[in-house]
Amino acid sequence: MTTSTTGRSATSEEAAAGGDDGPEPAGSSGEPAGPRPPSGPWLQSGPLARLGQGLRTVGSRSYWTTPRLVRALTALSLAALIGLGATATAVLGGARDGTDTIGHRAAPQATRAADLYFALSDMDAQAANLLLVGDDQDYAALRKQTLDTYEQRRNQADDDLQQAAQAAAADPAGQRAVQLVLGRLGSYEALVARSQLLEEQAKAPAGQPSPAALDAYRQASDLLRSQLLPAADQVTAANEATVDRVYGEQRDALGTGWWWLFGAGLLALAALVGLQRALLVRYHRVFNPALAGVTLLTGVVLVTGLALVGRTSDHLVTAKSDAYDSVIALSRSRAVAYDMNADESRYLIDPSRAAVWEQAYLEQSQAIVHFDGATLDTYGTRLQTAVERHHQNRSTVPFGGYLGAELNNITFPGEQAAAERVLSAFQEYQAIDHRMRVLRGAGQLKDAITLNTGLAEGQSNYQFGQLGAAMQDTIDVNQKAMDAALAATDGDLDGTTAALGGVVLAAAVALTALGVRPRLREYR
């Protein structure tokens, strides 16, 4: 009995002293097997212990003497003021860069590429008209005018290409598209020149080009439609995608930035108020002019910064959603319309491919004003019905396409009336086109050519001119609004604003130090 008791006592003492060399078997004392948590002097004098002791010291009331408290609150106030300035710089600087990308680079490049599409389409329309009028002396004046317009559009396309090449310097896909147009445009112009030469040599009557001239024009037109126009459209689409992406990013950034700026401003105000309260309680001073001025200045900066973020967001919506979306839709609509106008002339000069050109004309019409399931025979009737419905209720837009998108995005004074003129001119143009096809089907080719190329009121080219002018008027309304919104943002976020913000921040920091310094000097 004595031996057993002694053994148990020794074992207990060893366990208490930590003298057991190995882990205790699982279940022997109710504790899990395995290494024990560290214990001993390390916890009592190691880093963790010193950290805990430091935290307890800092957390005690006795530690926070008046100079320590004032210095800490001063440091917090200065850090909060600098943080407010950094947050405002990041938010407003990012907004400025995003607006610059949208308004001064991507959006102008997209509209310029759409303008290139328009110039190329009208070049081909004029080339088709040259074959259409032939050597008929009744169309001598029209022939000269057509040649002049062709040269004008060719120069315009060259200018657009040069600008597009410069703008696409940092965009490999855009560069490839521009290079394709540059490389193929010369081939297209050579084929058109050959077609004109062969037509002049053949002295063919109106609407009956020589087979050789028609073949050369077909090659030119096929090259344009299969390569040049798709490449120009690719440049437009790439820049549109950039505008949409940057716009989405900026809208999110401005929304988040508003709250970051609000939080940074509240923190700065809270730190300044805390500092003033500490001075009031510890020094029994009722008023500190310097700190009161900093607090007021910080509040003004916060309100101004939040207002600038809100204004920038509003201007961004105006410039992109309200104005740019309409500008690009109408620019593309105008470009497609000129290709549609060329399809009329192609239809008249190339009867063996008349069905192809009729289908192309319908597709271009559908791009401008779209009806599901419409055919060339039903399109005019459905358009008339839709226009009547829209005139009865301006908020009803019973069609899609580029013009449908514009009429669903009316925002600015004068825009509704301008867009209505586009719709009316388009409807009348479609009606004249239908009459032209009826004349052609009845074998009255010259009458159909006269109706198609005529510049008198009631004739196709006159009405097409009205359509183009109405489109341009509507573009101008939106472009003016877009420019005004961008100018307002540029004015809000220019270098003067940044410089003024830096001066205000420096003044706030200096006034904070100035307001606290006399109190701290009392302890020297």
Side-chain angles (χ1 to χ4, degrees):
M1 293 293 290
T2 303
T3 303
S4 174
T5 303
T6 303
R8 284 195 299 272
S9 299
T11 301
S12 301
E13 290 170 1
E14 290 172 359
D20 195 356
D21 292 336
E24 184 177 356
S28 62
S29 63
E31 296 178 357
R36 297 186 180 191
S39 62
W42 188 84
L43 280 180
Q44 300 173 11
S45 60
L48 291 178
R50 289 195 294 273
L51 176 61
Q53 180 63 32
L55 291 175
R56 286 192 294 272
T57 300
V58 171
S60 65
R61 293 181 60 123
S62 61
Y63 176 82
W64 289 106
T65 62
T66 296
R68 279 179 176 166
L69 178 62
V70 173
R71 287 191 186 101
L73 288 174
T74 301
L76 177 61
S77 298
L78 293 175
L81 287 171
I82 293 172
L84 175 60
T87 302
T89 299
V91 173
L92 296 176
R96 183 186 61 247
D97 293 342
T99 301
D100 185 63
T101 297
I102 292 174
H104 301 300
R105 290 199 292 274
Q109 290 167 22
T111 53
R112 190 176 299 122
D115 190 62
L116 172 61
Y117 192 111
F118 148 70
L120 293 172
S121 297
D122 199 32
M123 280 177 64
D124 204 54
Q126 303 309 319
N129 285 339
L130 288 172
L131 291 187
L132 188 60
V133 298
D135 193 46
D136 195 317
Q137 293 306 305
D138 291 343
Y139 302 114
L142 178 60
R143 181 178 181 83
K144 182 180 183 306
Q145 181 180 353
T146 301
L147 282 168
D148 291 342
T149 304
Y150 177 84
E151 289 300 321
Q152 178 185 347
R153 294 294 182 246
R154 185 171 71 170
N155 292 332
Q156 182 178 344
D158 289 341
D159 290 342
D160 288 336
L161 273 174
Q162 291 177 9
Q163 296 181 35
Q166 295 173 359
D171 179 13
Q175 281 185 322
R176 288 193 296 271
V178 171
Q179 290 299 324
L180 189 150
V181 178
L182 283 169
R184 298 289 188 272
L185 185 57
S187 299
Y188 170 81
E189 292 175 355
L191 287 168
V192 170
R194 175 175 172 77
S195 173
Q196 293 175 14
L197 177 61
L198 292 171
E199 180 69 4
E200 290 173 0
Q201 292 174 347
K203 298 187 180 301
Q208 301 178 48
S210 69
L214 180 58
D215 182 65
Y217 172 74
R218 282 176 177 171
Q219 294 179 51
S221 186
D222 289 346
L223 176 62
L224 180 90
R225 295 168 64 82
S226 65
Q227 297 188 42
L228 299 182
L229 293 182
D233 193 58
Q234 181 180 347
V235 177
T236 305
N239 284 286
E240 279 192 82
T242 299
V243 172
D244 290 340
R245 175 180 57 79
V246 175
Y247 174 72
E249 292 173 353
Q250 283 304 308
R251 287 280 287 163
D252 292 342
L254 286 170
T256 304
W258 193 95
W259 286 106
W260 275 104
L261 189 60
F262 181 71
L266 286 185
L267 177 60
L269 289 172
L272 289 168
V273 170
L275 177 58
Q276 292 180 82
R277 184 179 182 280
L279 294 177
L280 171 66
V281 172
R282 298 296 179 99
Y283 292 92
H284 305 289
R285 304 296 172 91
V286 176
F287 184 68
N288 188 307
L291 290 180
V294 174
T295 304
L296 178 61
L297 196 60
T298 301
V300 171
V301 168
L302 176 59
V303 172
T304 302
L306 294 175
L308 281 176
V309 173
R311 277 169 52 85
T312 301
S313 181
D314 291 342
H315 290 325
L316 188 62
V317 171
T318 299
K320 197 279 179 186
S321 292
D322 297 338
Y324 166 78
D325 285 353
S326 291
V327 168
I328 195 63
L330 289 162
S331 296
R332 284 193 150 196
S333 179
R334 184 183 64 165
V336 167
Y338 275 84
D339 198 17
M340 176 183 71
N341 189 47
D343 286 329
E344 286 187 325
S345 298
R346 296 176 186 129
Y347 164 78
L348 291 174
I349 64 173
D350 195 359
S352 65
R353 298 173 68 178
V356 173
W357 302 127
E358 285 184 323
Q359 181 60 32
Y361 179 88
L362 175 62
E363 290 173 359
Q364 309 294 8
S365 300
Q366 287 274 59
I368 299 172
V369 174
H370 181 82
F371 300 104
D372 291 336
T375 65
L376 195 61
D377 292 334
T378 64
Y379 187 86
T381 302
R382 295 186 65 174
L383 176 61
Q384 181 179 354
T385 302
V387 170
E388 290 172 355
R389 284 185 59 195
H390 177 68
H391 285 164
Q392 291 171 2
N393 183 358
R394 304 295 182 185
S395 64
T396 299
V397 184
F399 49 82
Y402 293 128
L403 189 50
E406 162 57 13
L407 285 167
N408 279 309
N409 194 37
I410 300 296
T411 311
F412 309 109
E415 186 179 5
Q416 181 77 49
E420 296 289 347
R421 289 196 298 273
V422 175
L423 182 60
S424 297
F426 182 75
Q427 181 190 12
E428 182 59 29
Y429 178 77
Q430 291 289 336
I432 294 173
D433 173 81
H434 178 71
R435 294 201 298 272
M436 182 271 294
R437 294 178 193 277
V438 171
L439 289 172
R440 179 67 180 89
Q444 301 176 44
L445 178 59
K446 190 164 183 177
D447 289 341
I449 293 172
T450 300
L451 182 61
N452 180 60
T453 60
L455 296 173
E457 187 172 355
Q459 294 179 317
S460 182
N461 274 359
Y462 169 85
Q463 192 59 39
F464 188 77
Q466 298 297 304
L467 174 61
M471 286 180 171
Q472 188 60 55
D473 289 345
T474 315
I475 290 174
D476 290 344
V477 169
N478 286 277
Q479 188 66 55
K480 182 179 179 181
M482 181 177 175
D483 292 343
L486 293 172
T489 299
D490 291 341
D492 286 344
L493 306 181
D494 62 2
T496 302
T497 302
L500 183 60
V503 170
V504 169
L505 176 62
V509 170
L511 284 173
T512 302
L514 182 65
V516 173
R517 186 184 177 193
R519 305 287 75 81
L520 294 177
R521 289 181 63 183
E522 297 176 9
Y523 291 88
R524 292 184 180 179

